[in-house]
Amino acid sequence: MIRLLYFSNAMPGLSDDQVRNILQSSRKKNPVIGVTGVLIYGGDMFMQVLEGPEQAVLRLYVKLLDDRRHSNSQIVQMSYAKERMFQNWSMGVIKTNPLKFEHIKKLLDHRLEAVHAEVFAETMREFVKQLNAEH
C-alpha cells in the first residue's frame, strides 16, 4: 500500500458545487478500487492524499491529471504505508486556505526538496485530527 500527496491549482472560478461533484464521484468510485484519502481545498489550491494499493493509487493519480478542474499537479510525497490513516474516509474533505495549516506551509516551503518522513506523517496526523473534529 502507498500514500501519495499532491498539490494542484484549482481552475479559476471553481464553485462549491463543482467541489461537491468531485467528492461525490470520489466517494462512489474510491471504495471500489480500495482507495481512501482526504481532499483539502481553498485559496485556489487543492491538496489531496490518496492511499491504497500501489497500482490503484497510481492509476487514479494519472487519471486525475486529465481533470480540467485543476492544473499544475505536483507530487509532494509518496511513500509505502503499512496501514491506512484515512480508513474511515473514501474521500474526506477539509475546506481551508492551505496556508492556514502550519503543516501544509512546511510542505509547500520544502516541496522542491525531499520531504522528511516524520514531517509527512505529522501532516497526515493533523489531517486526521481535522477530519475527526468535523465529523
Side-chain angles (χ1 to χ4, degrees):
M1 181 172 70
I2 65 169
R3 186 171 298 118
L4 181 147
L5 166 68
Y6 75 90
F7 288 104
S8 64
N9 298 109
M11 174 185 73
L14 189 75
S15 70
D16 285 344
D17 283 342
Q18 289 171 301
V19 173
R20 272 192 291 279
N21 288 340
I22 292 169
L23 292 169
Q24 288 172 349
S25 177
S26 297
R27 289 172 176 162
K28 180 180 177 182
K29 295 176 182 177
N30 287 357
V32 175
I33 61 173
V35 172
T36 55
V38 61
L39 176 68
I40 298 96
Y41 76 100
D44 297 327
M45 289 185 68
F46 283 119
M47 179 179 198
Q48 188 167 30
V49 179
L50 302 170
E51 60 183 9
E54 183 173 1
Q55 291 298 314
V57 169
L58 293 176
R59 282 187 183 122
L60 178 57
Y61 178 72
V62 168
K63 184 178 177 183
L64 292 172
L65 290 174
D66 291 331
D67 189 326
R68 294 177 188 226
R69 294 172 289 195
H70 71 134
S71 62
N72 300 323
S73 181
Q74 299 175 27
I75 294 175
V76 175
Q77 176 75 11
M78 184 168 55
S79 61
Y80 287 101
K82 292 181 182 178
E83 59 187 41
R84 293 178 189 267
M85 295 186 84
F86 302 100
Q87 68 270 8
N88 296 327
W89 297 278
S90 57
M91 187 50 59
V93 62
I94 300 172
K95 183 178 180 180
T96 184
N97 180 335
L99 295 179
K100 288 184 181 179
F101 260 103
E102 174 186 333
H103 296 87
I104 296 174
K105 179 151 176 22
K106 283 183 191 176
L107 291 175
L108 282 169
D109 289 345
H110 298 286
R111 70 180 173 266
L112 300 178
E113 305 168 13
V115 175
H116 295 287
E118 188 50 41
V119 172
F120 182 59
E122 184 179 331
T123 301
M124 297 303 103
R125 285 191 288 274
E126 287 299 318
F127 293 162
V128 171
K129 282 183 197 175
Q130 182 76 22
L131 287 168
N132 286 331
E134 292 179 4
H135 289 94

